[in-house]
């Protein structure tokens, strides 16, 4: 905020206050020699120059012979574009402004070294805060209802259901940005698997059908938080689950765009009911721009959430 306001000539220096019509003595409050413009206050005033020169930046503010603060910043920026350097530049500039205010309002004048020390520790605190926020990302808000993908993208929802002790069903449904079903599928498979393995197999099946149908800008959505998180972080464990996660990641690389998303079970009902339908169909089924009658109520329920 300080950078933005000072560059636009909007901070309350004496010169700016006079320009706004206030009757004030425009002389610098610290040296009393010159008009307190932004450039003078931040860069040219004797102690400000000392601060810049003794700081790690080693700036010689007196080398600039123009009269515009913004121009001075640009001339400084030309000599060094390093981001950490630039952060320190603004922390010091802000520190000089706070020092000036301390003097103006409570007649306390911070010593030069303190301004520099505070600016440096401000950057340290800022970097630390960024690290902490990347370690503890804000709690994820979990969607409970199905939402259509952005225009041009196909959302692929998948789910698995246990059919019997020795058979599982996989369901997959692909929808466009208005919620129209472009492909739906179900596949029955003999065997017994862990729940997370089943979920991953269901997604792999849905992804294969999606790719075979010619879609390559897709978002893969599951109601299995573990699967979502492993895909998102590309974590491959050394077990059956990891093998299938790896398959999905490999297949996803042949897409133009492939993202992953999570939805609660309540938002994954179409895929879930397709998985259960494997009871009826004993082999692989794929419906293009269609879906079996039995899942209609769930397709309509999804539509009603976002159309409303
Ligand atoms: Zn001065």
């Amino acid at each position: 905020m300080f950078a933005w306001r000072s560059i636009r000539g909007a901070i309350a220096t004496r010169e700016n206050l006079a320009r706004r019509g206030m009757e004030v003595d425009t002389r610098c409050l610290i040296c009393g020699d010159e008009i307190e413009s932004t450039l003078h206050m931040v860069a040219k005033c004797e102690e400000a120059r000392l601060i810049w020169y003794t700081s790690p930046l080693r700036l010689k503010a007196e080398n600039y012979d123009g009269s515009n603060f913004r121009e001075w910043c640009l001339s400084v920026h030309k000599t060094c574009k390093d981001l950490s350097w630039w952060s320190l530049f603004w922390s010091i500039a802000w520190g000089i402004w706070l020092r000036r205010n301390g003097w103006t309002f409570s007649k306390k004048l911070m010593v030069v070294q303190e301004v520099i020390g505070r600016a440096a520790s401000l950057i340290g605190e800022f970097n630390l805060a960024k690290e902490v926020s990347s370690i503890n990302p804000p709690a994820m808000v979990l969607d409970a209802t199905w939402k259509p993908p952005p225009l041009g993208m196909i959302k692929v929802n998948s789910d698995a259901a246990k059919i019997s002790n020795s058979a599982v069903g996989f369901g997959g449904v692909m929808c466009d940005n208005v919620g129209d079903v472009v492909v739906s599928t179900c596949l029955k498979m003999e065997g017994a698997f862990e729940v997370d393995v089943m979920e991953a197999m269901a997604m792999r099946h849905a992804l294969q059908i999606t790719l075979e149908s010619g879609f390559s800008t897709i978002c893969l959505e599951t109601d299995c938080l573990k699967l979502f998180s492993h895909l998102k972080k590309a974590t491959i464990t050394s077990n059956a689950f990891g093998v299938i996660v790896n398959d999905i990641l490999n297949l996803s690389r042949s897409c133009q765009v492939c993202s992953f998303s999570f939805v609660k079970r309540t938002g994954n009902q179409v895929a879930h009911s397709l998985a259960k339908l494997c009871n009826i169909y004993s082999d692989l089924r794929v419906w293009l721009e269609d879906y079996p009658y039995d899942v209609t109520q769930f397709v309509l329920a999804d539509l009603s959430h976002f159309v409303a």
Side-chain angles (χ1 to χ4, degrees):
M1 283 304 293
F2 173 77
W4 171 245
R5 288 176 59 80
S6 60
I7 277 179
R8 299 196 63 203
I11 54 167
T13 58
R14 294 282 156 144
E15 185 188 46
N16 285 338
L17 291 177
R19 199 175 286 149
R20 288 179 210 163
M22 276 176 76
E23 282 186 25
V24 288
D25 182 349
T26 55
R27 275 175 304 172
C28 172
L29 291 150
I30 294 175
C31 67
D33 291 339
E34 308 242 353
I35 290 177
E36 195 201 43
S37 62
T38 309
L39 180 70
H40 174 81
M41 189 270 296
V42 177
K44 293 281 189 173
C45 191
E46 193 176 345
E47 291 193 350
R49 277 189 279 145
L50 187 63
I51 291 171
W52 288 115
Y53 189 68
T54 48
S55 80
L57 303 179
R58 291 266 165 210
L59 272 185
K60 287 184 178 167
E62 61 271 26
N63 286 356
Y64 173 71
D65 52 12
S67 59
N68 183 295
F69 178 66
R70 181 174 171 274
E71 258 178 28
W72 178 64
C73 294
L74 287 172
S75 73
V76 169
H77 191 236
K78 268 185 205 143
T79 61
C80 193
K81 292 180 195 275
D82 181 69
L83 194 61
S84 60
W85 194 98
W86 198 232
S87 307
L88 185 58
F89 174 86
W90 280 111
S91 295
I92 292 175
W94 189 43
I96 294 173
W97 168 241
L98 296 179
R99 175 179 190 260
R100 174 263 189 207
N101 289 344
W103 177 246
T104 308
F105 302 116
S106 48
K107 291 286 168 259
K108 283 180 194 154
L109 197 59
M110 214 185 279
V111 296
V112 165
Q113 277 311 321
E114 198 181 346
V115 176
I116 298 167
R118 283 193 181 201
S121 66
L122 186 71
I123 293 177
E125 276 173 37
F126 178 61
N127 288 337
L128 194 67
K130 279 196 295 188
E131 268 175 42
V132 169
S133 66
S134 67
I135 294 167
N136 303 320
M140 190 172 41
V141 179
L142 303 176
D143 271 327
T145 56
W146 186 87
K147 290 187 178 61
L151 180 65
M153 190 175 248
I154 297 295
K155 188 179 259 192
V156 183
N157 283 77
S158 59
D159 203 7
K162 195 173 165 182
I163 305 286
S164 69
N165 283 335
S166 61
V168 292
F170 306 138
V173 59
M174 301 79 183
C175 294
D176 63 13
N177 67 304
V178 294
D180 275 342
V181 174
V182 291
V183 186
S184 59
T185 178
C186 68
L187 172 70
K188 187 177 176 183
M189 189 170 269
E190 300 300 324
F193 309 92
E194 298 285 325
V195 175
D196 54 359
V197 174
M198 271 165 51
E199 293 280 353
M201 288 169 90
M203 182 183 279
R204 183 178 60 184
H205 169 66
L207 175 55
Q208 274 164 343
I209 298 296
T210 307
L211 292 172
E212 282 168 21
S213 307
F215 298 107
S216 68
T217 300
I218 60 176
C219 169
L220 293 168
E221 189 164 82
T222 175
D223 61 12
C224 174
L225 203 49
K226 178 180 171 184
L227 177 60
F228 167 70
S229 125
H230 280 232
L231 288 168
K232 192 96 182 156
K233 294 175 193 160
T235 311
I236 297 157
T237 50
S238 53
N239 54 14
F241 179 69
V243 169
I244 302 159
V245 165
N246 193 34
D247 282 351
I248 296 170
L249 289 171
N250 281 334
L251 281 169
S252 73
R253 284 183 197 112
S254 61
C255 298
Q256 257 181 332
V257 177
C258 182
S259 63
F260 301 104
S261 109
F262 172 83
V263 70
K264 288 182 180 173
R265 276 175 159 206
T266 45
N268 205 30
Q269 302 253 36
V270 180
H272 184 71
S273 54
L274 280 162
K276 286 202 297 188
L277 272 187
C278 294
N279 240 343
I280 308 170
Y281 308 108
S282 55
D283 53 358
L284 167 67
R285 291 295 160 112
V286 178
W287 295 268
L288 289 175
E289 294 185 356
D290 199 10
Y291 44 84
Y293 177 76
D294 309 62
V295 306
T296 309
Q297 58 167 313
F298 302 112
V299 173
L300 293 179
D302 281 348
L303 282 173
S304 71
H305 284 300
F306 77 90
V307 170

